[in-house]
């Protein structure tokens, strides 16, 4: 299964998690994409898409994800599988904990994904 992990990171934590997932993943190789450096076009080449997104600033989408937010609407998810990784701080921001992951999930969940 061809797998890609797209992540955005402001202070490096989600980038660290992406590296760890790649190191531990034993189903197949994972290609990592920092959304600050890439468009999402390459997503079409993969069967499994993993999206890793932290929440910032009281329930907001991380800044690099914001830059590609409209691109997500153009992707064709038909027949693909998706997984989500959300980073947040449940003590500092309990009312907005990992909101951005939910927002990304809700954006694509009804767009043809395979369960
Ligand atoms: C100013 C600031 C605002 C934050 N806002 C939220 C938030 O609204 N919800 C949440 O769950 N986490 C929030 N966090 C926690 C971050 O999501 C967490 O530190 C995360 O690990 C950052 O990931 P990154 O290093 O990949 O950018 C916030 C952190 C900071 C410093």
């Amino acid at each position: 299964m061809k797998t890609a992990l797209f992540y955005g990171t402001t202070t490096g934590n989600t980038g660290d998690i992406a590296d760890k997932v790649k190191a531990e993943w034993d189903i197949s190789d994972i290609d990592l994409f920092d959304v600050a450096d890439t468009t999402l076009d390459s997503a079409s080449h993969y069967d499994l898409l993993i999206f890793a997104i932290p929440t910032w600033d009281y329930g907001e989408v991380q800044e690099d994800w914001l830059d590609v937010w409209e691109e997500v609407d153009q992707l064709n998810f038909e027949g693909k599988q998706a997984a989500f990784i959300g980073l947040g701080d449940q003590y500092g921001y309990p009312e907005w904990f990992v909101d951005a992951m939910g927002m990304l999930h809700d954006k694509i969940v009804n767009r043809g994904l395979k369960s």
Side-chain angles (χ1 to χ4, degrees):
M1 182 183 293
K2 284 195 74 182
T3 304
L5 192 162
F6 292 89
Y7 68 93
T9 189
T10 299
T11 53
N13 296 333
T14 311
D16 289 346
I17 295 298
D19 290 339
K20 284 182 183 168
V21 169
K22 182 177 171 66
E24 297 292 329
W25 193 261
D26 58 5
I27 298 173
S28 63
D29 194 28
I30 294 186
D31 293 333
L32 296 187
F33 297 97
D34 183 340
V35 297
D37 304 327
T38 183
T39 67
L40 299 181
D41 292 345
S42 50
S44 62
H45 303 302
Y46 295 90
D47 310 302
L48 173 60
L49 303 171
I50 305 174
F51 298 110
I53 180 169
T55 302
W56 275 89
D57 299 329
Y58 312 99
E60 296 294 328
V61 169
Q62 187 264 342
E63 55 189 344
D64 301 321
W65 271 110
L66 257 191
D67 290 342
V68 298
W69 204 239
E70 307 300 322
E71 279 183 49
V72 177
D73 298 327
Q74 310 305 321
L75 295 178
N76 179 4
F77 293 104
E78 209 69 42
K80 297 183 185 300
Q81 290 184 296
F84 298 87
I85 297 170
L87 271 75
D89 173 355
Q90 65 176 314
Y91 295 107
Y93 305 89
E95 288 179 45
W96 303 278
F97 180 54
V98 193
D99 278 10
M101 184 183 74
M103 291 156 73
L104 184 56
H105 168 271
D106 291 352
K107 202 172 163 67
I108 71 170
V109 69
N110 290 322
R111 304 234 325 260
L113 285 165
K114 199 168 81 175
S115 56

